[in-house]
Amino acid sequence: MRSPPVNASLSNAELRRYEVARDKTVSSQETTETWLVPERGSQRAISFMLYLARLVGRRPLIPLLDPIALWYLIKDRTSRRNSRAYLRRVLGREPSLFMIWKHIRSYAQITLDRLFILDLQAKLPEISVEGPERLFKALEEGRGCILLGAHIGSFDSLRAVMRVMPAPLTLKILMYRGYTGDATRVIEALDPGYEDRLIPLGEPDTMLRVAESLERGEVVAILGDRAHDMGRSLPIPVLGKEAPLPVGPIRLAALAQSPVILFRGIREADGSYDIAFEDFADRIELTGTAREKEATLKGWMIRYADWISDLCRKYPLSWHNYYDFWEERS
């Protein structure tokens, strides 16, 4: 039997609580190192790379990533410092400059691949998909599905796999757009329908649009490993040290009563993408006293953080959070 409409389960009060005051941490951001900063990247440089990509293809461009990564290693102190902090934690030793360069280069490679994943006229990288049946099974009850990922590997590879799924799926992407720059807009313009799939975080109608999408049986994707200024976070152990993770994704799943599937898209050394869907929760319920609800919420967040930590240990160069994630300096 079909579940009640999702937006019926989200009361106005719940929506208002979820859409918390966006400006409450603006003043603190002036003294705190955060990922909420103006996007780096040159529109001209990306446009030039796009021109070359269409002219010669992907593989001839790969050698250009070496000097690009070297430039960022030398010039971008913030990325270098935070890469070192992460690698030190995930490797259990002090990383060399060469390892930091490889880490930065891995992100440059993912950015290059975006040109070929989003361009509908380009040839997709080779992909392998594990567990797509989990996604279709989660959608069978008509409650929609929340696809939960992290900044590990390529989130855009999700778009690639949707193009080769055995049955059509409607994908919506919940994303913070406050600091999207011209370089990203150039890349996103490769897919004319990209903007229509986005649900921007922090807008007055964000949660209403999410609820309506889930009610229609659609897939709503979100990355849950960056705390921002629009919601509460909790300190959760990631790679052995507590870091602030947003409570929003788990609370959203609990309010909507939609199943949650974990997603990852890892770039392999040969340029192919290993894409996997994993079961996380058929239904998340936050019931009982306030303390019991908090304990249940934290339990789900710890499970999510453990998944992140395991992926980082397995694919240490695929983590792309180049800011003070553990707030060691903030």
PDB file of all heavy atoms in Angstrom, residues 218-238:
ATOM      1  N   GLU A 218      10.818  10.178  -6.511  1.00  0.00           N
ATOM      2  CA  GLU A 218      12.090  10.519  -7.118  1.00  0.00           C
ATOM      3  C   GLU A 218      13.251  10.239  -6.160  1.00  0.00           C
ATOM      4  O   GLU A 218      13.056   9.973  -4.971  1.00  0.00           O
ATOM      5  CB  GLU A 218      12.083  11.993  -7.543  1.00  0.00           C
ATOM      6  CG  GLU A 218      11.021  12.294  -8.597  1.00  0.00           C
ATOM      7  CD  GLU A 218      10.877  13.765  -8.922  1.00  0.00           C
ATOM      8  OE1 GLU A 218      11.464  14.602  -8.203  1.00  0.00           O
ATOM      9  OE2 GLU A 218      10.171  14.086  -9.891  1.00  0.00           O
ATOM     10  N   VAL A 219      14.453  10.329  -6.687  1.00  0.00           N
ATOM     11  CA  VAL A 219      15.677  10.153  -5.907  1.00  0.00           C
ATOM     12  C   VAL A 219      16.236  11.531  -5.575  1.00  0.00           C
ATOM     13  O   VAL A 219      16.439  12.357  -6.474  1.00  0.00           O
ATOM     14  CB  VAL A 219      16.724   9.336  -6.686  1.00  0.00           C
ATOM     15  CG1 VAL A 219      18.016   9.207  -5.873  1.00  0.00           C
ATOM     16  CG2 VAL A 219      16.177   7.962  -7.043  1.00  0.00           C
ATOM     17  N   VAL A 220      16.465  11.790  -4.307  1.00  0.00           N
ATOM     18  CA  VAL A 220      17.059  13.055  -3.864  1.00  0.00           C
ATOM     19  C   VAL A 220      18.446  12.759  -3.319  1.00  0.00           C
ATOM     20  O   VAL A 220      18.593  12.010  -2.347  1.00  0.00           O
ATOM     21  CB  VAL A 220      16.197  13.751  -2.794  1.00  0.00           C
ATOM     22  CG1 VAL A 220      16.897  15.013  -2.286  1.00  0.00           C
ATOM     23  CG2 VAL A 220      14.826  14.108  -3.367  1.00  0.00           C
ATOM     24  N   ALA A 221      19.466  13.316  -3.965  1.00  0.00           N
ATOM     25  CA  ALA A 221      20.855  13.041  -3.584  1.00  0.00           C
ATOM     26  C   ALA A 221      21.430  14.211  -2.799  1.00  0.00           C
ATOM     27  O   ALA A 221      21.155  15.383  -3.106  1.00  0.00           O
ATOM     28  CB  ALA A 221      21.700  12.784  -4.831  1.00  0.00           C
ATOM     29  N   ILE A 222      22.234  13.887  -1.782  1.00  0.00           N
ATOM     30  CA  ILE A 222      22.856  14.918  -0.956  1.00  0.00           C
ATOM     31  C   ILE A 222      24.185  14.393  -0.426  1.00  0.00           C
ATOM     32  O   ILE A 222      24.338  13.203  -0.156  1.00  0.00           O
ATOM     33  CB  ILE A 222      21.921  15.318   0.224  1.00  0.00           C
ATOM     34  CG1 ILE A 222      22.535  16.455   1.034  1.00  0.00           C
ATOM     35  CG2 ILE A 222      21.601  14.116   1.105  1.00  0.00           C
ATOM     36  CD1 ILE A 222      21.583  17.033   2.080  1.00  0.00           C
ATOM     37  N   LEU A 223      25.151  15.302  -0.297  1.00  0.00           N
ATOM     38  CA  LEU A 223      26.416  14.982   0.352  1.00  0.00           C
ATOM     39  C   LEU A 223      26.327  15.453   1.793  1.00  0.00           C
ATOM     40  O   LEU A 223      26.013  16.613   2.053  1.00  0.00           O
ATOM     41  CB  LEU A 223      27.586  15.670  -0.366  1.00  0.00           C
ATOM     42  CG  LEU A 223      27.757  15.312  -1.844  1.00  0.00           C
ATOM     43  CD1 LEU A 223      28.958  16.051  -2.445  1.00  0.00           C
ATOM     44  CD2 LEU A 223      27.901  13.819  -2.039  1.00  0.00           C
ATOM     45  N   GLY A 224      26.612  14.562   2.744  1.00  0.00           N
ATOM     46  CA  GLY A 224      26.339  14.869   4.142  1.00  0.00           C
ATOM     47  C   GLY A 224      27.547  15.071   5.026  1.00  0.00           C
ATOM     48  O   GLY A 224      27.420  14.965   6.244  1.00  0.00           O
ATOM     49  N   ASP A 225      28.706  15.401   4.435  1.00  0.00           N
ATOM     50  CA  ASP A 225      29.917  15.486   5.262  1.00  0.00           C
ATOM     51  C   ASP A 225      30.446  16.902   5.434  1.00  0.00           C
ATOM     52  O   ASP A 225      31.571  17.085   5.902  1.00  0.00           O
ATOM     53  CB  ASP A 225      31.021  14.598   4.680  1.00  0.00           C
ATOM     54  CG  ASP A 225      31.378  14.959   3.245  1.00  0.00           C
ATOM     55  OD1 ASP A 225      30.521  15.523   2.531  1.00  0.00           O
ATOM     56  OD2 ASP A 225      32.512  14.671   2.834  1.00  0.00           O
ATOM     57  N   ARG A 226      29.669  17.906   5.084  1.00  0.00           N
ATOM     58  CA  ARG A 226      30.099  19.290   5.303  1.00  0.00           C
ATOM     59  C   ARG A 226      29.029  20.046   6.071  1.00  0.00           C
ATOM     60  O   ARG A 226      27.907  20.227   5.583  1.00  0.00           O
ATOM     61  CB  ARG A 226      30.377  20.008   3.973  1.00  0.00           C
ATOM     62  CG  ARG A 226      31.633  19.559   3.282  1.00  0.00           C
ATOM     63  CD  ARG A 226      31.876  20.368   2.027  1.00  0.00           C
ATOM     64  NE  ARG A 226      33.083  19.918   1.329  1.00  0.00           N
ATOM     65  CZ  ARG A 226      33.501  20.396   0.162  1.00  0.00           C
ATOM     66  NH1 ARG A 226      32.784  21.338  -0.447  1.00  0.00           N
ATOM     67  NH2 ARG A 226      34.604  19.939  -0.399  1.00  0.00           N
ATOM     68  N   ALA A 227      29.373  20.490   7.256  1.00  0.00           N
ATOM     69  CA  ALA A 227      28.469  21.319   8.046  1.00  0.00           C
ATOM     70  C   ALA A 227      28.502  22.739   7.502  1.00  0.00           C
ATOM     71  O   ALA A 227      29.552  23.239   7.103  1.00  0.00           O
ATOM     72  CB  ALA A 227      28.891  21.307   9.513  1.00  0.00           C
ATOM     73  N   HIS A 228      27.356  23.371   7.461  1.00  0.00           N
ATOM     74  CA  HIS A 228      27.284  24.727   6.927  1.00  0.00           C
ATOM     75  C   HIS A 228      26.463  25.606   7.852  1.00  0.00           C
ATOM     76  O   HIS A 228      26.094  25.203   8.953  1.00  0.00           O
ATOM     77  CB  HIS A 228      26.721  24.724   5.509  1.00  0.00           C
ATOM     78  CG  HIS A 228      25.518  23.841   5.353  1.00  0.00           C
ATOM     79  ND1 HIS A 228      24.292  24.143   5.880  1.00  0.00           N
ATOM     80  CD2 HIS A 228      25.377  22.635   4.737  1.00  0.00           C
ATOM     81  CE1 HIS A 228      23.435  23.189   5.594  1.00  0.00           C
ATOM     82  NE2 HIS A 228      24.059  22.258   4.906  1.00  0.00           N
ATOM     83  N   ASP A 229      26.178  26.804   7.384  1.00  0.00           N
ATOM     84  CA  ASP A 229      25.565  27.798   8.258  1.00  0.00           C
ATOM     85  C   ASP A 229      24.046  27.712   8.292  1.00  0.00           C
ATOM     86  O   ASP A 229      23.400  28.567   8.873  1.00  0.00           O
ATOM     87  CB  ASP A 229      25.977  29.211   7.811  1.00  0.00           C
ATOM     88  CG  ASP A 229      25.492  29.554   6.405  1.00  0.00           C
ATOM     89  OD1 ASP A 229      25.223  28.603   5.640  1.00  0.00           O
ATOM     90  OD2 ASP A 229      25.385  30.744   6.087  1.00  0.00           O
ATOM     91  N   MET A 230      23.452  26.686   7.685  1.00  0.00           N
ATOM     92  CA  MET A 230      21.990  26.641   7.605  1.00  0.00           C
ATOM     93  C   MET A 230      21.387  25.557   8.489  1.00  0.00           C
ATOM     94  O   MET A 230      20.227  25.242   8.372  1.00  0.00           O
ATOM     95  CB  MET A 230      21.566  26.416   6.148  1.00  0.00           C
ATOM     96  CG  MET A 230      21.883  27.601   5.274  1.00  0.00           C
ATOM     97  SD  MET A 230      21.466  27.259   3.567  1.00  0.00           S
ATOM     98  CE  MET A 230      22.634  25.959   3.205  1.00  0.00           C
ATOM     99  N   GLY A 231      22.167  24.973   9.341  1.00  0.00           N
ATOM    100  CA  GLY A 231      21.608  23.923  10.176  1.00  0.00           C
ATOM    101  C   GLY A 231      22.574  23.511  11.267  1.00  0.00           C
ATOM    102  O   GLY A 231      23.726  23.911  11.288  1.00  0.00           O
ATOM    103  N   ARG A 232      22.085  22.673  12.167  1.00  0.00           N
ATOM    104  CA  ARG A 232      22.870  22.249  13.307  1.00  0.00           C
ATOM    105  C   ARG A 232      23.795  21.107  12.920  1.00  0.00           C
ATOM    106  O   ARG A 232      23.521  20.318  12.030  1.00  0.00           O
ATOM    107  CB  ARG A 232      21.915  21.820  14.422  1.00  0.00           C
ATOM    108  CG  ARG A 232      22.563  21.697  15.789  1.00  0.00           C
ATOM    109  CD  ARG A 232      21.478  21.655  16.847  1.00  0.00           C
ATOM    110  NE  ARG A 232      20.603  20.511  16.659  1.00  0.00           N
ATOM    111  CZ  ARG A 232      20.829  19.304  17.189  1.00  0.00           C
ATOM    112  NH1 ARG A 232      21.915  19.098  17.920  1.00  0.00           N
ATOM    113  NH2 ARG A 232      19.980  18.324  17.003  1.00  0.00           N
ATOM    114  N   SER A 233      24.905  21.010  13.629  1.00  0.00           N
ATOM    115  CA  SER A 233      25.841  19.909  13.429  1.00  0.00           C
ATOM    116  C   SER A 233      26.125  19.256  14.780  1.00  0.00           C
ATOM    117  O   SER A 233      25.844  19.825  15.833  1.00  0.00           O
ATOM    118  CB  SER A 233      27.144  20.409  12.794  1.00  0.00           C
ATOM    119  OG  SER A 233      27.795  21.322  13.655  1.00  0.00           O
ATOM    120  N   LEU A 234      26.674  18.054  14.723  1.00  0.00           N
ATOM    121  CA  LEU A 234      27.088  17.337  15.918  1.00  0.00           C
ATOM    122  C   LEU A 234      28.535  16.872  15.738  1.00  0.00           C
ATOM    123  O   LEU A 234      28.939  16.529  14.628  1.00  0.00           O
ATOM    124  CB  LEU A 234      26.200  16.112  16.165  1.00  0.00           C
ATOM    125  CG  LEU A 234      24.789  16.345  16.694  1.00  0.00           C
ATOM    126  CD1 LEU A 234      24.043  15.016  16.787  1.00  0.00           C
ATOM    127  CD2 LEU A 234      24.813  17.039  18.043  1.00  0.00           C
ATOM    128  N   PRO A 235      29.310  16.855  16.834  1.00  0.00           N
ATOM    129  CA  PRO A 235      30.678  16.332  16.734  1.00  0.00           C
ATOM    130  C   PRO A 235      30.648  14.809  16.640  1.00  0.00           C
ATOM    131  O   PRO A 235      30.193  14.137  17.567  1.00  0.00           O
ATOM    132  CB  PRO A 235      31.332  16.813  18.034  1.00  0.00           C
ATOM    133  CG  PRO A 235      30.197  16.981  19.000  1.00  0.00           C
ATOM    134  CD  PRO A 235      29.004  17.367  18.185  1.00  0.00           C
ATOM    135  N   ILE A 236      31.131  14.285  15.527  1.00  0.00           N
ATOM    136  CA  ILE A 236      31.093  12.852  15.255  1.00  0.00           C
ATOM    137  C   ILE A 236      32.502  12.390  14.881  1.00  0.00           C
ATOM    138  O   ILE A 236      33.178  13.049  14.088  1.00  0.00           O
ATOM    139  CB  ILE A 236      30.127  12.531  14.097  1.00  0.00           C
ATOM    140  CG1 ILE A 236      28.723  13.072  14.395  1.00  0.00           C
ATOM    141  CG2 ILE A 236      30.090  11.030  13.828  1.00  0.00           C
ATOM    142  CD1 ILE A 236      28.026  12.432  15.561  1.00  0.00           C
ATOM    143  N   PRO A 237      32.967  11.269  15.420  1.00  0.00           N
ATOM    144  CA  PRO A 237      34.320  10.805  15.082  1.00  0.00           C
ATOM    145  C   PRO A 237      34.450  10.411  13.605  1.00  0.00           C
ATOM    146  O   PRO A 237      33.675   9.603  13.094  1.00  0.00           O
ATOM    147  CB  PRO A 237      34.509   9.570  15.979  1.00  0.00           C
ATOM    148  CG  PRO A 237      33.498   9.713  17.069  1.00  0.00           C
ATOM    149  CD  PRO A 237      32.334  10.421  16.455  1.00  0.00           C
ATOM    150  N   VAL A 238      35.412  11.027  12.942  1.00  0.00           N
ATOM    151  CA  VAL A 238      35.774  10.678  11.569  1.00  0.00           C
ATOM    152  C   VAL A 238      37.283  10.444  11.547  1.00  0.00           C
ATOM    153  O   VAL A 238      38.042  11.339  11.922  1.00  0.00           O
ATOM    154  CB  VAL A 238      35.392  11.800  10.568  1.00  0.00           C
ATOM    155  CG1 VAL A 238      35.791  11.399   9.150  1.00  0.00           C
ATOM    156  CG2 VAL A 238      33.908  12.114  10.641  1.00  0.00           C
TER     157      VAL A 238
END
